Amino acid sequence: MSSSNGPRSLRLVFLFGIVLASKVLSCPPNCTCQYLEVNCTGKQLQEYPLTIPLDTRQLILAANNISYLPSVELNFLTDLVYLDCRENHIGEDLGFTFISVVKLVYLDLSANNLTRVTFTSFSQLTNLVVLKLSDNPNLVEIEKDSFANNSWLRHLDVSRTGLTFLDTSTVSDLPNLKSLGLSGNPWNCSCSFLEFSIWIKESGLNFPDAENISCYSPSELRGWPVPDVETQLHYICLTHLYQWDYIFLGLVGFCIFSAGTLAAWLAGICAVLYEFHTATGEDDADEDEEEEPRWQVSSLRTSPWPTSLQREM
Ligand SMILES: *[C@@H]1O[C@H](CO)[C@@H](O)[C@H](O)[C@H]1NC(C)=O
Ligand SMILES: *[C@@H]1O[C@H](CO)[C@@H](O)[C@H](O)[C@H]1NC(C)=O
Ligand SMILES: *[C@@H]1O[C@H](CO)[C@@H](O)[C@H](O)[C@H]1NC(C)=O
Ligand SMILES: *[C@@H]1O[C@H](CO)[C@@H](O)[C@H](O)[C@H]1NC(C)=O
Ligand SMILES: *[C@@H]1O[C@H](CO)[C@@H](O)[C@H](O)[C@H]1NC(C)=O
Ligand SMILES: *[C@@H]1O[C@H](CO)[C@@H](O)[C@H](O)[C@H]1NC(C)=O
Ligand SMILES: *[C@@H]1O[C@H](CO)[C@@H](O)[C@H](O)[C@H]1NC(C)=O
């Protein structure tokens, strides 16, 4: 009995596996599936399609109404290299969205509803080369060093978002970065922006649409192109330092002046004393030997004088 039971349950598991696999591996309704590529562009999808073949390399979900990427289902696609989610309503934190899709090279999340990017958003995507985050009007923060693990990143686009500030090291530490989209953002050109504006000038990267990288605040710099604002910021932000420099220089000058005065005063006293002693020494030479004890005391006090040496010899 048990010998026939075993193979039957095995067969059941096998059948169940085939059914499950055929269900999982079927092309999502209304999408077009070619070899390792699933294209669901503009299909009015409200949700991420759950029947995407597991060996998919290229997944295009562009121009739908998807508001959420389910982490578990997405991370079944461990061979995924190319993911295009532009023009959707994705607005979640992304904290644990991309965990096992470590082969991802191209990720397009432009024209969505992202609000912030943190280190955990993309920290597992160590092969990422292209990352598009443009046209996310509610994206107001990219945390410092959010891309620290994405060292292969070549093209990063954060144009037309709500970003007012970007920490310089977040992008300057990317060794392979070639192109960085920064245009159309309401940059806050305060003094903390100075370092970033200097880096933009000196980095030698390609900044697409560079004319439209401009300051939005403070109001006196509104509309200024960021590459040109560096001189202005230098002037505004470093004048404060100059005041301290002037005070410092004044103090140093005063110290030098006082030291000089003191030295001159001491030199004057020495000169007077020397004059006085040479004068008295000459007087002593003319005087009798009765005055000897008084002279010895004074010669002890001022031993280096040649006259006293002569006298003692
Ligand atoms: C597929 O497209 C047809 C026509 O465009 C539409 O009526 C249907 O609801 C779509 N199916 C799904 C699952 O989106
Ligand atoms: C995906 O499909 C859309 C139309 O449905 C087409 O315009 C687009 O070129 C396709 N993309 C790819 C990469 O095949
Ligand atoms: C999808 O989003 C677009 C733009 O936000 C909207 O006009 C459209 O009605 C939405 N479609 C559905 C089926 O929700
Ligand atoms: C975008 O996200 C904000 C909150 O983060 C929400 O209020 C808004 O409705 C979202 N917009 C869309 C189009 O999903
Ligand atoms: C990402 O960086 C963290 C800390 O810097 C490190 O512990 C982790 O292993 C990195 N992840 C990958 C996949 O390299
Ligand atoms: C710009 O930055 C400065 C200093 O960091 C801050 O005080 C100010 O509130 C910011 N302005 C805007 C509009 O974010
Ligand atoms: C700069 O932005 C304006 C308004 O958004 C746009 O009309 C113009 O084409 C942009 N310039 C470039 C070079 O793209």
Side-chain angles (χ1 to χ4, degrees):
M1 295 293 273
S2 62
S3 57
S4 66
N5 227 354
R8 200 185 296 162
S9 59
L10 259 182
R11 206 182 307 145
L12 266 177
V13 167
F14 184 68
L15 276 176
F16 181 71
I18 286 187
V19 169
L20 188 72
S22 65
K23 204 166 161 52
V24 167
L25 292 175
S26 68
C27 189
N30 286 1
C31 300
T32 52
C33 297
Q34 286 172 12
Y35 178 67
L36 303 180
E37 179 201 307
V38 175
N39 188 349
C40 304
T41 302
K43 298 296 180 225
Q44 302 264 313
L45 298 177
Q46 302 296 305
E47 284 174 1
Y48 176 88
L50 295 178
T51 58
I52 294 169
L54 293 180
D55 57 353
T56 300
R57 300 271 170 86
Q58 183 168 346
L59 175 58
I60 303 166
L61 300 171
N64 285 291
N65 286 18
I66 300 169
S67 56
Y68 169 71
L69 290 175
S71 177
V72 174
E73 286 80 2
L74 180 66
N75 285 292
F76 282 148
L77 311 178
T78 49
D79 286 330
L80 201 63
V81 170
Y82 185 106
L83 177 59
D84 182 352
C85 294
R86 86 193 124 91
E87 295 170 47
N88 279 286
H89 302 314
I90 299 165
E92 73 209 276
D93 185 1
L94 295 179
F96 296 96
T97 302
F98 306 106
I99 296 172
S100 340
V101 284
V102 293
K103 293 182 184 167
L104 210 58
V105 166
Y106 181 102
L107 177 57
D108 191 342
L109 290 168
S110 59
N112 274 285
N113 196 20
L114 301 178
T115 51
R116 73 195 278 265
V117 167
T118 65
F119 175 71
T120 50
S121 304
F122 307 115
S123 60
Q124 304 303 311
L125 304 180
T126 49
N127 292 301
L128 207 58
V129 172
V130 177
L131 178 58
K132 299 186 179 181
L133 300 172
S134 59
D135 299 286
N136 279 281
N138 293 321
L139 177 59
V140 292
E141 188 190 5
I142 293 183
E143 260 185 18
K144 185 171 155 62
D145 301 328
S146 282
F147 309 118
N149 273 15
N150 312 114
S151 54
W152 290 107
L153 210 53
R154 255 179 110 80
H155 301 278
L156 176 63
D157 195 352
V158 295
S159 308
R160 297 174 300 281
T161 64
L163 280 182
T164 58
F165 179 77
L166 187 58
D167 193 89
T168 310
S169 69
T170 306
V171 282
S172 67
D173 288 352
L174 291 171
N176 293 299
L177 196 64
K178 295 285 178 290
S179 159
L180 176 60
L182 297 171
S183 66
N185 292 329
W187 295 115
N188 180 0
C189 298
S190 62
C191 288
S192 41
F193 199 73
L194 177 61
E195 189 191 353
F196 191 56
S197 65
I198 294 173
W199 177 79
I200 286 177
K201 254 193 157 174
E202 295 177 349
S203 66
L205 293 193
N206 173 32
F207 296 99
D209 190 14
E211 316 82 284
N212 278 351
I213 308 176
S214 55
C215 305
Y216 185 76
S217 57
S219 49
E220 61 266 29
L221 291 177
R222 183 166 301 174
W224 270 70
V226 167
D228 296 349
V229 88
E230 188 222 320
T231 348
Q232 200 80 3
L233 283 181
H234 251 291
Y235 179 75
I236 296 172
C237 302
L238 299 185
T239 344
H240 187 65
L241 288 182
Y242 283 156
Q243 283 172 1
W244 283 105
D245 284 350
Y246 286 136
I247 292 170
F248 179 71
L249 282 177
L251 279 174
V252 167
F254 179 74
C255 288
I256 291 173
F257 173 76
S258 333
T261 312
L262 196 65
W265 185 69
L266 284 174
I269 285 182
C270 287
V272 167
L273 281 177
Y274 177 73
E275 286 287 316
F276 176 74
H277 280 299
T278 45
T280 49
E282 277 162 15
D283 286 352
D284 285 349
D286 296 342
E287 276 167 16
D288 299 331
E289 290 186 355
E290 294 162 19
E291 302 267 344
E292 195 72 19
R294 191 182 70 95
W295 163 243
Q296 273 177 341
V297 171
S298 76
S299 74
L300 272 174
R301 270 202 222 113
T302 58
S303 54
W305 300 134
T307 46
S308 67
L309 281 174
Q310 279 172 1
R311 182 73 190 185
E312 272 166 18
M313 291 193 318

